[in-house]
Amino acid sequence: VDAGPPTSTATEILRYGDVSTGRVGSVPLPLTPAELVGLRTKFIGGGFFSVATDGSNVAVVVWYRLGPPGQQLVPCTTNDGAPIAWRILVAPIDQSTGAPGTFSAIAGAQSKVVFRPMGGQGCDTVSAPLVSLSGGRIAYNIENPTTGHPLASTIVIRSLAGGAPEREIPTQAMPIGLRLAGTNVAWLESDGAAALPLRVSTAAHPAPADVDTMDTPGQTEAWILPKFSLDGDQIAWDRYGTGQGFLETIGGSAARISPSGTSCLLGGSDAGQ
């Protein structure tokens, strides 16, 4: 994004690269004036974006804080807890060039729930949705607090071709990790406690089912949260607190895949590897 004040002709660009061909390039993102202002003022205005892709489509989540800019303190700003407005933009990827095509808005709303995962170092803030893509589908979470579960959300799975959502899955707490593989979805959620439940939902069994509870030391920063991955109907994860790695076919039994006596963290899993 260009530095300095926004202008009527200013644009945000998304850079891309295709590792199989070495092609690189950039495409414009169709942002609103308010989104451009939020991104240019960064921390005090509070605008950022995140990107997800499955190789066939690319999704960009762009958001900005509502209300006046805050003041920069250390490590937080005075408006970290302000509500945010967000949109999810999706474009197909041209398989011959690697370039994203025309972006369209899949969803948009406001978020208001103030939260700090695990209660570790960081700032109490309002989070934009998590996004995952797979096979022409998208999964994302929307805040849906209830009296008994103030951090509850709804995970939405829908086709990128349009139409009504295929599935809406209630969570008891705030999703802090989300993976989609076909019609299967897995997520990690937190209510601020040290124990993090890992849950799954499938088309055949849509109700959330527990896979494991990841015990952590608590007061954990986001970059060392337990990792998990989903490939088809196989889910792999680690227990950060014990350094053990596990693999399970959804609905089956968990098998430990890390060597005994060795502390391991999950790097990832794909196609049986």
Side-chain angles (χ1 to χ4, degrees):
V1 61
D2 294 335
T7 68
S8 60
T9 59
T11 59
E12 172 88 11
I13 61 171
L14 178 70
R15 298 192 183 277
Y16 65 89
D18 186 332
V19 296
S20 64
T21 64
R23 292 191 182 100
V24 296
S26 62
V27 293
L29 289 174
L31 302 188
T32 66
E35 289 167 344
L36 283 167
V37 170
L39 287 167
R40 278 169 170 74
T41 53
K42 295 182 181 179
F43 294 104
I44 59 173
F48 293 94
F49 64 88
S50 61
V51 180
T53 183
D54 64 352
S56 297
N57 296 279
V58 60
V60 179
V61 183
V62 61
W63 62 268
Y64 63 95
R65 289 194 181 99
L66 300 172
Q71 296 180 348
Q72 180 66 61
L73 302 176
V74 178
C76 308
T77 61
T78 56
N79 65 343
D80 278 331
I84 66 171
W86 56 265
R87 288 196 304 156
I88 301 174
L89 309 175
V90 179
I93 295 175
D94 187 322
Q95 296 303 302
S96 64
T97 65
T102 301
F103 282 90
S104 58
I106 294 295
Q110 293 183 9
S111 295
K112 303 177 181 180
V113 176
V114 181
F115 178 63
R116 185 190 305 185
M118 302 297 296
Q121 294 183 7
C123 306
D124 292 329
T125 190
V126 179
S127 298
L130 304 172
V131 166
S132 185
L133 298 167
S134 176
R137 292 181 176 85
I138 185 171
Y140 57 92
N141 62 292
I142 298 177
E143 290 180 353
N144 188 22
T146 65
T147 301
H149 299 284
L151 298 175
S153 290
T154 298
I155 295 175
V156 178
I157 302 176
R158 64 191 311 162
S159 169
L160 293 177
E166 296 181 2
R167 199 152 85 245
E168 295 184 342
I169 308 156
T171 73
Q172 297 181 13
M174 184 72 71
I176 57 175
L178 181 66
R179 302 287 186 273
L180 178 68
T183 59
N184 299 329
V185 63
W187 68 95
L188 194 66
E189 62 182 69
S190 172
D191 60 3
L196 302 175
L198 175 62
R199 297 190 165 107
V200 297
S201 167
T202 69
H205 301 282
D210 289 343
V211 175
D212 195 5
T213 298
M214 299 172 168
D215 291 324
T216 72
Q219 300 294 312
T220 304
E221 298 183 45
W223 65 274
I224 52 175
L225 289 175
K227 307 298 190 299
F228 70 99
S229 60
L230 182 66
D231 178 27
D233 62 353
Q234 286 196 332
I235 183 169
W237 70 97
D238 67 53
R239 293 175 180 165
Y240 177 79
T242 61
Q244 297 173 318
F246 296 86
L247 178 69
E248 176 183 312
T249 298
I250 294 176
S253 299
R256 180 175 172 177
I257 57 175
S258 57
S260 178
T262 302
S263 180
C264 295
L265 299 178
L266 179 70
S269 68
D270 181 52
Q273 299 289 331

